[in-house]
Amino acid sequence: MEEPLDEKDLERKLKKEQKAKSKEEKKLKAKQKEEARLQVQAASDGAKKSEKKQKKKGVTDENPEDLVDPDTPTGQKKLLASQMAKQYSPSAVEKSWYPWWESSQYFVADAASSKPPFVIVLPPPNVTGALHIGHAITVAIEDAMIRWRRMSGYNALWIPGMDHAGIATQVVVEKKIMRERKLSRHDLGRDKFLSELHNWKDQYGGTILRQLRTLGASLDWSRECSTMDEQRSGAITETFVRLYKEGLIYRDIRLVNWDCTLRTAISDIEVDRVDLKAETFLEVPGYSNPVQFGVLTSFAYPLEEGLGEIIVATTRIETMLGDTAIAVHSQDERYKHLHGKYAVHPFNGRKLEIICADDLVKATFGTGAVKITPAHDSKDFEVGKQHNLDFINIFTDDGNINENGGPQFEGMPRFTARAAVIDALKEKGLYRGMENNEMELGRCSRTNDIVEPMIKPQWFVNCNTMAKAALDAVKSKEIEIIPPQYEQDWYRWLENIRDWCISRQLWWGHRVPAWYVTLEDDKEKGMGSYIDHWIIARNKSDAVLEAEQRYPEKKYQLDQDPDVLDTWFSAGLFPLTVLGWPDNTADLSTFYPTSVLETGLDILFFWVARMVMMGMLLHGDVPFRKIYLHPIIRDALGRKMSKSLGNVIDPIDVINGITLEGLQKKLEQGNLDQGELEKAKEGQKKDFPDGIPECGTDALRFALISYTSQSDKINLDIKRVHGYRQWCNKLWNAIRFAMIKLGDQYTPPATLALCDVFIEAIKPYFNGSEEFESAR
C-alpha cells in the first residue's frame, strides 16, 4: 500500500499531470490544424487543376472589354466597366470622379442652411511655385475632416485661397529675370516688374489649383480668393487705417532684420539661425571668396588723459566703425576709476564714454568690457536708448560702408571691410588677437545672405493688448490647441511679444496706405524727414482732402510710401476677409468663427497667433475654436526639404509616378543657379535612383495621414507610400474576388477579421464543384 502524499508532493504531481495534459492538447490541435491545411490544399489543387483544364479548352468567363472603364464625358458621373479590372491602377480608378463632384456642386456650402456649420479655411499656398509634399499632408488631413463632417449632416465649408507671398515671390521672379535677361528689378522699373510678377502669379496660381483638384481636395471653389484680389486688398487697407486711428499702428526708427541682397527688412520667420562651434568659412552672396565667421576678435581702444587702453572683443569687427560707447559692470574693480571717462576712436577721433550696463556686461566674461554699437545690435540698441547714445548707421542698404564709416573704408562691402579694419588696427598697434567662438548666425532663408541688424524707419503694430486677448483665449479654452503640449509655446511667445514691424521695402504686395506731405518751405525734403507729415488714408483722394485741410493755402507735394505691408499682415486677416469682412455678409454671420485651423506647427506664432489677435480685435471673437498642428515633413534621412538638396517632392509626381530623368528635367526648368542645380541633381540620384513609382492619390493621402501619429517630425520614405499603394491593390483584389465569387445576393457578416486569410481559405470552395455548394 502506497503512503499518502504530503501537500507539496501532491501539488508537484498535479502540476506534472497538468503539464502532460497541456502537451497532449497542443499536439492534438497541431494535428487538427495540419489536417485542415491539407484539406484546403487538396481542394485548392483541385480548383487549380480545374482552372488549368478550362484554360486548355480555351474557356474563359471574362471579356477584356468588360474590364475597361468607358470614357466619361467631363463633369458626368463616372462610367464603370461591368467587371473590375484584374490589376489595380490608381490612374484608372481615380479618373473622372473629381469633375463630377465639382459639377454637381457637392462641395458648395449654403449660408442660409439650417444645418450646423463646420468650417475650415485652407492655409493659402504661396504663389511662388507648385505645391510640395507639405501641402499634401495639409490637404489630406483637412479633406478627411471636411468630408466626414459633410457626410455627418453638417453644412461643411472648406475655403480655398492663394497667398501672394510678397518676399518669397519677389525673390523667385527677380532670380528668374536675372538668370534669363541679366536684369535687376531696378533695371525694369516698378511697373514692368509688377507686370512680370502678375504673369508669374497667373501661371503658378493655375498650377496650384490643378494640383489641389488632383489631390481630391473637396474645396468650395465658388468662394476661391486671393490675398491680392480687390476684396482682400480693400480689407487690408481698411485694417491699416482703423489700427492707425486707434493708435495701434505707428511709425518709428527701430532695429530690424535687414537683408542686404533684397534691400528690405525681413521677419523672424525668414531668418534661419545657424549654430557655429568655431571658425567657419561660409559662401555669402556677392563675395567671390568664403567669409570667416565663428571667431572673436580683440582690440584696444586708447583712453583719454593718458589712462592707458581698454580691450574689447567682437564677432563683427567691422561694426566698430559705428561704436559710440564702451560698457563695463559697475562692480568691476578694474574699471571703477574709468566710470564717466572716455576712450578715443582710432579712425575718426570720436569720444566713446565708459558707461555701466550691468544687465549686459558680465565681469567674468572676456575682458569685462563690451563695445556698444546701438545702430547694429539689438542689445546695444536698448543700451543706447537707456544712456541716450548716438545711433550711427555705417551701412548702405546693399551692405557697403557709408560715409559714417570714414573715408578709409567708405564704399567697401561690409565683409571686405572686416579684413580691412583688422589690418588698420594692426598698423596702429591696437590689434590684440583672434580666437574661436561659438556663436549663432542669422541667414535669410530666401537669399542665404547674412542678416544685418540695421536701424530703419518702419511701420509697427503695438501688439500688447491683442497678445493678452490671444493668451486668455487659450487659457480659458475658448481655443483648444492640439496637441496640447504646444500651449506652453503659445504662452511663452505671446508673453514675450514685441511690437510687429509690418513694412517691407519690396514692390510686390499691398502698398502701405500712407502719403507723405513735402511742404515747399520744408528745410528737409527727404520722405519721412518730419514724422508729423504723414497722412493715413484709404485712397489718394482722401489723402489729398486731408492734406488741404491740414495745410491750407500751402504748396505741397504728396507721395505715397513706396513700401508694402508684411505678407503676414494680410494672412493674419484671412479667416475674416475670405468671408467678406469688413462688409456684414451672410457668409460672415453664418461661418465665423470657423471650426478648425489645421496647419504646420512651424507657423504657430507667425500666422496662427496673428489671426487670433486680429480676429478678436476686429470682429470681437476668435477666428476658430480648435488649432490642430500637424508634424513637419522631412526626407527619409531626416533632412529639411530644400530645392538645392533636390529632395523637395511634388505630390503629383508621387501620384502619377516619374522617372529620374523626369525629375532632373523639372530641376532644370526651375530657378536654381548652376551650382545649386548640380548639387540638387546629385541629391536626386541618391534619393530616387529609379525615379518615383506611381502610387495614386488614395495611397499618398493614406500614407501621409498614417504618419501623423508619430512625433513632431515626419521622415517621409517614398517606399512606405508605395507600400500603401500595394495595400490598395490588396483591397482591390479582395473586393474583386468577393464581387465575382459571392454573387449579388451575398450579405457580409457584421464583423470579420483577417480579410486576406479569409479569402485564401475560402478560394477552394469556388472551384465549381457541387460538393461545396452549401458551403458557398
Side-chain angles (χ1 to χ4, degrees):
M1 187 175 178
E2 294 182 4
E3 294 183 10
L5 299 173
D6 62 21
E7 189 175 343
K8 285 186 178 178
D9 290 337
L10 182 61
E11 186 178 351
R12 206 175 288 118
K13 182 180 179 182
L14 288 172
K15 281 185 178 180
K16 190 174 181 180
E17 290 174 353
Q18 192 173 9
K19 190 174 181 181
K21 185 179 179 182
S22 176
K23 192 173 182 180
E24 286 300 317
E25 286 176 350
K26 284 181 180 178
K27 283 182 180 180
L28 182 61
K29 281 184 180 179
K31 184 179 180 182
Q32 290 172 341
K33 191 173 182 181
E34 178 63 13
E35 288 174 352
R37 188 189 70 77
L38 292 171
Q39 184 181 356
V40 169
Q41 183 65 45
S44 177
D45 290 344
K48 287 176 182 177
K49 287 176 183 177
S50 175
E51 189 176 337
K52 284 180 181 178
K53 286 179 183 178
Q54 297 279 11
K55 284 183 178 178
K56 283 182 180 178
K57 292 177 183 178
V59 177
T60 177
D61 59 350
E62 292 179 345
N63 183 345
E65 292 182 3
D66 293 339
L67 306 178
V68 179
D69 293 332
D71 289 336
T72 302
T74 303
Q76 292 188 17
K77 186 175 182 179
K78 183 171 182 175
L79 301 174
L80 299 176
S82 59
Q83 295 184 40
M84 292 174 69
K86 291 183 178 179
Q87 295 290 328
Y88 168 70
S89 168
S91 56
V93 171
E94 295 166 1
K95 184 181 178 182
S96 301
W97 288 111
Y98 198 94
W100 174 57
W101 294 335
E102 193 173 345
S103 66
S104 302
Q105 297 190 320
Y106 290 141
F107 310 150
V108 178
D110 181 6
S113 173
S114 59
K115 295 178 181 179
F118 183 83
V119 188
I120 300 177
V121 174
L122 177 73
N126 290 350
V127 68
T128 46
L131 300 182
H132 54 68
I133 206 75
H135 296 102
I137 193 172
T138 297
V139 168
I141 294 169
E142 293 183 17
D143 197 43
M145 289 180 182
I146 210 78
R147 286 179 185 265
W148 172 50
R149 290 293 185 173
R150 192 182 287 125
M151 291 188 293
S152 301
Y154 284 77
N155 185 20
L157 171 61
W158 191 16
I159 308 173
M162 200 82 65
D163 195 301
H164 66 282
I167 189 169
T169 306
Q170 179 160 319
V171 168
V172 169
V173 176
E174 278 197 75
K175 285 180 71 174
K176 178 176 181 288
I177 293 170
M178 178 57 71
R179 188 181 69 251
E180 294 176 355
R181 289 180 258 172
K182 304 300 180 191
L183 296 173
S184 70
R185 62 177 161 125
H186 300 282
D187 294 328
L188 286 178
R190 187 164 191 148
D191 290 341
K192 287 185 178 179
F193 182 68
L194 288 176
S195 177
E196 296 278 348
L197 281 158
H198 280 288
N199 291 339
W200 177 276
K201 181 180 79 71
D202 293 341
Q203 176 187 348
Y204 281 94
T207 299
I208 290 168
L209 299 183
R210 287 191 295 274
Q211 286 179 299
L212 288 170
R213 286 175 166 90
T214 303
L215 283 163
S218 59
L219 293 153
D220 185 343
W221 294 107
S222 69
R223 290 175 167 87
E224 179 196 338
C225 61
S226 163
T227 53
M228 284 287 279
D229 65 29
E230 187 176 351
Q231 167 68 31
R232 262 45 63 179
S233 296
I236 289 153
T237 297
E238 178 65 26
T239 301
F240 190 97
V241 172
R242 287 192 192 185
L243 267 58
Y244 180 81
K245 289 183 176 179
E246 291 176 20
L248 293 175
I249 285 182
Y250 62 95
R251 189 170 177 84
D252 196 7
I253 299 175
R254 296 275 187 91
L255 206 66
V256 297
N257 298 317
W258 188 262
D259 185 299
C260 296
T261 298
L262 292 173
R263 293 186 244 177
T264 182
I266 59 176
S267 67
D268 288 342
I269 198 174
E270 282 137 359
V271 179
D272 291 335
R273 302 293 175 182
V274 182
D275 290 322
L276 304 179
K277 299 299 182 184
E279 182 184 44
T280 308
F281 287 85
L282 300 173
E283 300 285 346
V284 178
Y287 293 83
S288 55
N289 296 317
V291 178
Q292 181 192 45
F293 298 94
V295 294
L296 195 65
T297 304
S298 300
F299 68 98
Y301 270 121
L303 295 166
E304 275 192 331
E305 303 174 9
L307 292 172
E309 64 180 28
I310 187 167
I311 299 174
V312 295
T314 178
T315 58
R316 299 157 65 216
I317 189 67
E318 67 279 5
T319 62
M320 64 86 65
L321 300 175
D323 285 357
T324 58
I326 296 170
V328 297
H329 196 282
S330 62
Q331 300 305 310
D332 193 332
E333 295 292 339
R334 294 171 295 175
Y335 302 119
K336 279 190 174 182
H337 68 291
L338 297 179
H339 294 180
K341 302 293 184 179
Y342 291 87
V344 180
H345 201 289
F347 303 133
N348 54 40
R350 185 188 307 131
K351 295 176 66 174
L352 312 179
E353 185 179 0
I354 312 297
I355 61 173
C356 294
D358 291 2
D359 291 339
L360 176 68
V361 181
K362 290 183 180 178
T364 55
F365 181 77
T367 64
V370 177
K371 63 186 280 298
I372 303 297
T373 321
H376 295 290
D377 182 272
S378 58
K379 292 179 180 177
D380 293 2
F381 178 84
E382 296 300 326
V383 172
K385 288 198 299 182
Q386 293 168 10
H387 292 267
N388 198 29
L389 301 176
D390 288 337
F391 289 73
I392 300 175
N393 174 36
I394 61 165
F395 297 124
T396 61
D397 287 352
D398 54 357
N400 293 337
I401 304 297
N402 63 20
E403 67 277 5
N404 293 331
Q408 187 176 353
F409 307 102
E410 185 177 359
M412 287 184 182
R414 56 188 163 146
F415 297 127
T416 303
R418 173 172 291 187
V421 167
I422 291 175
D423 289 341
L425 287 169
K426 287 178 178 178
E427 287 179 13
K428 291 182 176 290
L430 298 173
Y431 178 76
R432 293 292 179 268
M434 184 183 291
E435 60 184 276
N436 284 332
N437 181 66
E438 190 171 337
M439 63 177 290
E440 184 183 79
L441 191 67
R443 303 196 80 162
C444 176
S445 61
R446 310 295 180 186
T447 64
N448 220 26
D449 200 357
I450 306 299
V451 173
E452 195 66 56
M454 296 262 269
I455 189 166
K456 291 285 182 181
Q458 304 282 344
W459 296 99
F460 293 88
V461 177
N462 184 324
C463 296
N464 293 335
T465 305
M466 290 188 286
K468 173 74 165 56
L471 266 171
D472 293 342
V474 172
K475 285 180 177 178
S476 66
K477 302 303 178 185
E478 195 174 358
I479 294 177
E480 179 185 3
I481 296 179
I482 307 167
Q485 65 260 32
Y486 293 106
E487 284 185 10
Q488 294 306 315
D489 295 331
W490 180 271
Y491 300 148
R492 186 163 50 251
W493 190 74
L494 289 172
E495 285 167 355
N496 297 284
I497 199 167
R498 296 180 296 175
D499 285 1
W500 175 14
C501 174
I502 56 170
S503 47
R504 298 288 181 269
Q505 292 63 55
L506 301 170
W507 290 353
W508 177 241
H510 300 98
R511 194 91 173 257
V512 175
W515 282 262
Y516 186 75
V517 179
T518 304
L519 299 175
E520 188 179 45
D521 55 359
D522 281 344
K523 291 181 179 178
E524 300 289 337
K525 300 295 185 183
M527 177 179 277
S529 298
Y530 302 97
I531 193 69
D532 61 347
H533 281 24
W534 286 102
I535 292 174
I536 308 304
R538 291 175 177 83
N539 50 59
K540 189 171 183 178
S541 299
D542 288 354
V544 169
L545 187 62
E546 185 172 337
E548 290 174 351
Q549 292 172 348
R550 193 188 294 184
Y551 306 106
E553 300 180 3
K554 285 195 174 185
K555 291 184 179 181
Y556 65 86
Q557 180 177 323
L558 194 65
D559 297 290
Q560 187 175 1
D561 190 333
D563 292 354
V564 300
L565 292 167
D566 179 13
T567 299
W568 296 106
F569 188 80
S570 54
L573 298 168
F574 210 57
L576 282 170
T577 59
V578 295
L579 297 173
W581 186 92
D583 299 330
N584 189 22
T585 64
D587 274 5
L588 189 63
S589 60
T590 302
F591 298 119
Y592 189 93
T594 65
S595 307
V596 181
L597 187 282
E598 190 281 334
T599 190
L601 56 89
D602 55 331
I603 52 174
L604 177 62
F605 316 120
F606 300 104
W607 186 43
V608 183
R610 284 166 176 164
M611 283 190 284
V612 174
M613 292 193 299
M614 301 287 253
M616 297 183 77
L617 176 71
L618 295 168
H619 204 62
D621 199 356
V622 296
F624 27 76
R625 300 299 184 196
K626 294 180 187 291
I627 299 168
Y628 180 84
L629 303 170
H630 67 242
I632 302 304
I633 296 186
R634 297 178 180 270
D635 70 6
L637 300 176
R639 299 174 303 176
K640 184 178 179 180
M641 290 195 172
S642 163
K643 290 179 181 177
S644 61
L645 289 176
N647 61 357
V648 172
I649 300 173
D650 182 339
I652 307 305
D653 291 339
V654 182
I655 292 169
N656 297 331
I658 189 171
T659 63
L660 175 60
E661 183 183 6
L663 287 169
Q664 305 245 300
K665 189 174 181 181
K666 288 179 74 170
L667 275 179
E668 291 167 2
Q669 295 168 347
N671 215 26
L672 298 176
D673 60 38
Q674 195 58 39
E676 290 174 324
L677 178 61
E678 294 306 317
K679 181 181 177 183
K681 281 186 172 183
E682 286 302 313
Q684 283 187 339
K685 287 178 185 177
K686 291 179 181 177
D687 295 341
F688 312 110
D690 302 315
I692 298 175
E694 178 194 26
C695 296
T697 301
D698 289 331
L700 173 61
R701 288 168 45 139
F702 192 7
L704 291 173
I705 288 178
S706 72
Y707 266 115
T708 61
S709 61
Q710 298 180 5
S711 66
D712 58 356
K713 293 183 182 66
I714 292 173
N715 292 352
L716 181 70
D717 190 342
I718 292 298
K719 291 178 182 177
R720 179 167 174 179
V721 180
H722 193 248
Y724 281 101
R725 185 244 191 258
Q726 304 290 54
W727 183 90
C728 289
N729 188 62
K730 279 193 174 185
L731 184 63
W732 176 270
N733 289 337
I735 298 299
R736 181 175 185 271
F737 176 84
M739 291 182 72
I740 292 173
K741 303 297 184 182
L742 298 179
D744 296 337
Q745 305 305 314
Y746 173 72
T747 302
T751 58
L752 185 68
L754 304 166
C755 171
D756 54 339
V757 175
F758 177 75
I759 286 175
E760 290 302 320
I762 68 171
K763 276 183 179 179
Y765 293 88
F766 293 90
N767 63 4
S769 173
E770 290 183 6
E771 64 178 301
F772 293 126
E773 181 62 34
S774 61
R776 282 197 291 273

